Structure formats: C-alpha cells, structure tokens
Amino acid sequence: MERTLSIVKPDGVRKNVVGEVIGRFEKSGLNVAALKLISLSKEEAEGFYAVHKARPFFGSLTEFMSSGPVAVMVLTGDGAIKKVRDIMGATDPKNAAPGTIRKDFADSIESNIVHGSDGPDTAAFEIGYFFSALEILR
Ligand code: GDP
C-alpha cells in the first residue's frame, strides 16, 4: 500500500474534467483517501514547486498554478505513485501515450491538466503540504 498526491490543475478544473480524472484513478483500483478543491496563492504555488525554483519556467508555472481552483487529493493503493504517473502520461502532451490523461486533455507542456508525485519522498512532502494526518481517511 502506497500513498501519492495528485492535483487536477486549474486547466483541468476549467475544462470540467475533475470527475473524469478521478474516475480514471478509481478505475485503476486506486482509492481516494482525501480530496478538496482549493485556490493556491502565488506564494503557495511557489512553495509547492520549490524544487523547480531555478528552472526558467518557474514564474510561469506558479502563475498558472495560482490562476484558478485546483482539486488536490491523496490516492492510496499498491504502487500508487507509478500507477498515477502512468495514467497521467508524459509531461509534454505531444509525447504522451494514447489513452493517457495528458494526451486526451492537455494543451501544452505547462497546462497539462494533472500532477502526480514522482517518488516516495516527494509524495510525503506533497501530501503534508496540503493535508494533515487527520484528513487522510484511508
Ligand atoms: P511532471 O512530473 O510530469 O509534472 O513534470 P516536472 O516535474 O518536470 O514539471 C512540473 C510541471 O512544470 C509540469 O507538470 C508542467 O506543468 C511544468 N513544466 C515542465 N516542463 C516545462 C517547460 O519546459 N515549460 C513550461 N512552461 N512548463 C513546464
């Protein structure tokens, strides 16, 4: 059993694919253990993506992530981290495999609909960034 954090980004909320994204995770056998719709400030988005601080797209990315509500969730299940990454598809939708979320819904390498933690340490940091232990219900 593994935990991971996923986010339906502002473009996904605007396109009304929150349910579609969660549905794909649930169909793969993952459980929604925590879920909320929130609006990130620029500073909160910067804190979340601090690892990318030196990247040239940091300003644009954090502007985008604070441009509207996001749906943040904790997903649990066997191999949850890799499962979510596989269902999301490659960062750039141009390179994403057919049938992945990003291939089906994303417009660009930045506006790519969905986030998923990329490893156990990142998952622990990212889950703690949004949820307290008491809010994670399974
Ligand atoms: P992920 O793990 O697939 O989400 O990709 P990364 O951790 O490498 O990047 C984090 C997020 O930054 C991505 O999901 C995109 O929203 C954005 N991003 C990544 N690469 C680029 C880029 O080259 N240009 C821009 N504008 N955004 C990017």
Side-chain angles (χ1 to χ4, degrees):
M1 185 62 97
E2 195 172 58
R3 280 181 176 170
T4 190
L5 183 99
S6 181
I7 305 177
V8 182
K9 296 183 180 185
D11 56 335
V13 175
R14 281 192 281 271
K15 289 185 178 188
N16 283 333
V17 294
V18 175
E20 174 73 30
V21 170
I22 295 174
R24 290 187 186 201
F25 293 147
E26 288 185 324
K27 281 192 197 92
S28 79
L30 293 169
N31 306 305
V32 178
L35 172 66
K36 60 187 168 190
L37 199 67
I38 56 170
S39 199
L40 294 177
S41 67
K42 183 85 159 43
E43 291 70 28
E44 288 164 342
E46 286 169 359
F48 179 73
Y49 275 124
V51 64
H52 291 308
K53 204 171 182 145
R55 309 286 280 275
F57 56 83
F58 183 68
S60 171
L61 171 63
T62 53
E63 194 69 47
F64 162 61
M65 287 300 289
S66 56
S67 69
V70 293
V72 294
M73 71 199 82
V74 178
L75 299 163
T76 61
D78 286 338
I81 294 173
K82 183 175 187 306
K83 226 176 217 183
V84 166
R85 303 276 306 175
D86 288 347
I87 295 167
M88 282 167 31
T91 309
D92 187 342
K94 287 195 214 84
N95 304 325
T100 60
I101 291 169
R102 284 166 167 171
K103 181 68 173 186
D104 289 346
F105 302 113
D107 290 331
S108 72
I109 192 168
E110 180 173 278
S111 295
N112 60 5
I113 302 286
V114 65
H115 168 86
S117 308
D118 65 4
D121 294 346
T122 338
F125 165 76
E126 292 179 350
I127 290 169
Y129 197 78
F130 291 114
F131 296 99
S132 74
L134 291 174
E135 292 176 309
I136 303 167
L137 304 182
R138 58 183 182 165

